[in-house]
Amino acid sequence: MALQPLLLHLAFLRLGTAGPLVQGRGFRSQTVAWPSFFDFNWPQEVQETIQIPNNGSAPLLVDVQVFVSNVFNVDILRYTLSSMLLLRLSWLDSRLAWNTSVHPQHAVTLPWDSLWTPGLTIQEALWVDWQDQSPRARVDPDGHVTLYLALTTETNCDFELLHFPRDQSDCNLSFYALSNTVLELEFRARAVNEIVSVKREYVVRDLKTQVPPQQLVPCFQVTLRLQNTALKAVIALLVPGEALLLADMCGGLLPLRATERIAYKVTLLLGYLVFHSSLVQALPSSSSCNPLLIYYFTVLLLLLSVSTMETVLLAALPAGGNLSPAPRGEQQDRGDPGPHPAEAPRVKGSRRSWAEAADHIFFLVYVVGVVCSQFFFIGFWMWATCKSDPAPGKAIPHGGQPRL
């Protein structure tokens, strides 16, 4: 048979078993089933690790293409994202080459664990789920090997949420070949954005790859730049907050003596407290660079509290001095005009006019303060920057000694 010499050649390379290709869930090793005529009567317990192809004094170059097909389930509360990737790995293994004049096959496909493959580990991955449990590698006559791997993974991402809901973050997926060194293996990677649906709150605006320098272990890094579309957050957070603030300013137009004004202000304040408590649970917290919206809504809460306290205090001033005036005709019917009939109404009217004047001045100052605070927040939102605290091990290269 034409394939029998090729199978003998592969068996001589001890292409028997190997470890898992990538650390993750749902990827199992398997035993290669060779044809029945292929029997050397070798002891089953003799199994050797498949060695990396020799490329002389230079490290073996593995070309990697990362196709990003989908990014979903971006969870800013847990600082995680889920993505679907397709990896295309190709390298040259001259041990697998054959003479096409003797064996005219254009290419053969082999199980992934029957030949050497780079063992990859995603540093940021919480879990990895492989779509193909038994991928097969394509081998060309010149020894070029091509392997496709489709996976779904959930990874950690350090979201920059200072400008949430108009935030933009870079999420990294670092692939390490922990079983090799940089003297044996080298990656050359590039990424392709194949996302065709943008019906997500977060969309991928840019995609790039790089090989981190000064690493002891071969690695390559894929960076996804995610941007928030902000429509949901604006409707659910900013619009209700601004509506409550506008309603509070309109409440200042009610007369100070009206009993409905205090009830109106207190109802707004209680409603905003409920809104603020749910808002705190909806926004993520961080050790540094918290979202500006947290401070913005806290300022709105202080403004509503000050407005409510002003209404209660000024409305209580006339009542505290028992200054509620009785009609002049009722006083005459009682027959007790007093020593100075015009003095009491004059005092009552002066105190009431003073409270109403103070309330009017406070209303004007309050409106100006609210408008100025909105413009100040917009300017601060546009130009404010925050540098997150560096990670404890960020300055240490992979494989470096920990600092005690």
Side-chain angles (χ1 to χ4, degrees):
M1 297 176 63
L3 286 178
Q4 184 173 3
L6 177 61
L7 296 177
L8 292 174
H9 177 61
L10 296 177
F12 180 75
L13 295 177
R14 305 194 193 275
L15 306 180
T17 57
L21 179 67
V22 180
Q23 293 182 1
R25 185 183 67 186
F27 208 79
R28 303 185 300 269
S29 61
Q30 60 181 4
T31 303
V32 182
W34 298 103
S36 59
F37 60 83
F38 182 60
D39 186 7
F40 290 94
N41 295 321
W42 285 348
Q44 296 182 357
E45 64 272 8
V46 179
Q47 294 182 354
E48 297 183 5
T49 304
I50 305 175
Q51 298 296 326
I52 184 173
N54 187 9
N55 196 25
S57 60
L60 177 66
L61 182 61
V62 177
D63 186 50
V64 183
Q65 286 182 293
V66 183
F67 301 91
V68 181
S69 58
N70 196 4
V71 173
F72 59 97
N73 194 23
V74 179
D75 193 342
I76 61 175
L77 297 180
R78 297 176 55 239
Y79 285 88
T80 60
L81 68 91
S82 301
S83 56
M84 299 179 63
L85 308 175
L86 175 65
L87 302 181
R88 180 185 183 273
L89 308 175
S90 61
W91 63 93
L92 177 62
D93 191 347
S94 58
R95 301 174 299 181
L96 303 179
W98 70 87
N99 190 352
T100 55
S101 61
V102 179
H103 308 289
Q105 286 78 16
H106 297 287
V108 295
T109 58
L110 300 174
W112 68 272
D113 55 356
S114 66
L115 70 164
W116 178 89
T117 55
L120 299 179
T121 299
I122 304 177
Q123 184 181 19
E124 298 85 359
L126 301 178
W127 54 264
V128 180
D129 191 10
W130 300 93
Q131 297 181 13
D132 190 357
Q133 302 295 325
S134 302
R136 302 181 66 86
R138 173 189 173 95
V139 182
D140 295 330
D142 57 354
H144 275 92
V145 182
T146 304
L147 179 64
Y148 286 91
L149 299 173
L151 66 146
T152 302
T153 178
E154 183 181 53
T155 56
N156 290 114
C157 179
D158 293 332
F159 293 105
E160 296 294 339
L161 300 175
L162 179 68
H163 294 90
F164 177 84
R166 295 296 299 176
D167 54 291
Q168 183 173 282
S169 304
D170 291 338
C171 299
N172 298 324
L173 282 76
S174 304
F175 293 82
Y176 284 88
L178 299 179
S179 59
N180 301 104
T181 66
V182 293
L183 300 178
E184 299 174 333
L185 182 62
E186 179 183 354
F187 288 110
R188 182 176 60 190
R190 67 186 184 94
V192 180
N193 190 349
E194 289 194 337
I195 299 177
V196 296
S197 175
V198 293
K199 297 178 180 179
R200 296 286 189 274
E201 185 178 0
Y202 281 85
V203 295
V204 179
R205 294 301 185 189
D206 191 17
L207 190 65
K208 62 181 180 180
T209 59
Q210 63 175 346
V211 177
Q214 300 179 355
Q215 298 290 332
L216 300 179
V217 177
C219 65
F220 65 93
Q221 190 176 77
V222 180
T223 303
L224 294 82
R225 175 159 295 180
L226 302 179
Q227 184 174 355
N228 193 352
T229 55
L231 179 60
K232 176 182 176 181
V234 169
I235 296 177
L237 300 178
L238 292 178
V239 172
E242 295 294 331
L244 283 174
L245 191 61
L246 181 61
D248 182 68
M249 289 190 296
C250 294
L253 300 176
L254 294 174
L256 183 62
R257 291 176 294 175
T259 57
E260 295 82 2
R261 179 172 172 178
I262 297 180
Y264 179 82
K265 291 279 189 176
V266 172
T267 302
L268 284 180
L269 181 59
L270 293 178
Y272 188 78
L273 286 174
V274 176
F275 172 75
H276 190 271
S277 63
S278 61
L279 172 68
V280 172
Q281 298 178 0
L283 292 179
S285 59
S286 174
S287 58
S288 60
C289 299
N290 285 292
L292 291 176
L293 280 185
I294 294 179
Y295 307 100
Y296 174 71
F297 286 113
T298 302
V299 171
L300 292 188
L301 177 61
L302 294 177
L303 290 175
L304 290 176
S305 300
V306 170
S307 175
T308 304
M309 288 187 295
E310 180 270 342
T311 300
V312 173
L313 292 176
L314 292 184
L317 283 179
N322 196 16
L323 299 177
S324 298
R328 183 174 301 179
E330 182 179 351
Q331 295 180 356
Q332 292 177 357
D333 292 340
R334 293 178 181 176
D336 188 13
H340 300 285
E343 182 177 355
R346 190 182 303 115
V347 175
K348 298 174 185 177
S350 63
R351 291 187 180 181
R352 186 182 301 108
S353 61
W354 176 84
E356 292 177 352
D359 179 69
H360 182 71
I361 295 174
F362 175 82
F363 175 75
L364 296 178
V365 173
Y366 182 73
V367 171
V368 174
V370 168
V371 174
C372 292
S373 66
Q374 302 303 303
F375 283 104
F376 175 78
F377 178 76
I378 293 175
F380 193 73
W381 177 281
M382 295 177 59
W383 289 290
T385 58
C386 180
K387 186 177 181 180
S388 301
D389 297 335
K394 188 174 182 180
I396 303 177
H398 188 79
Q401 295 295 330
R403 298 178 181 179
L404 300 179

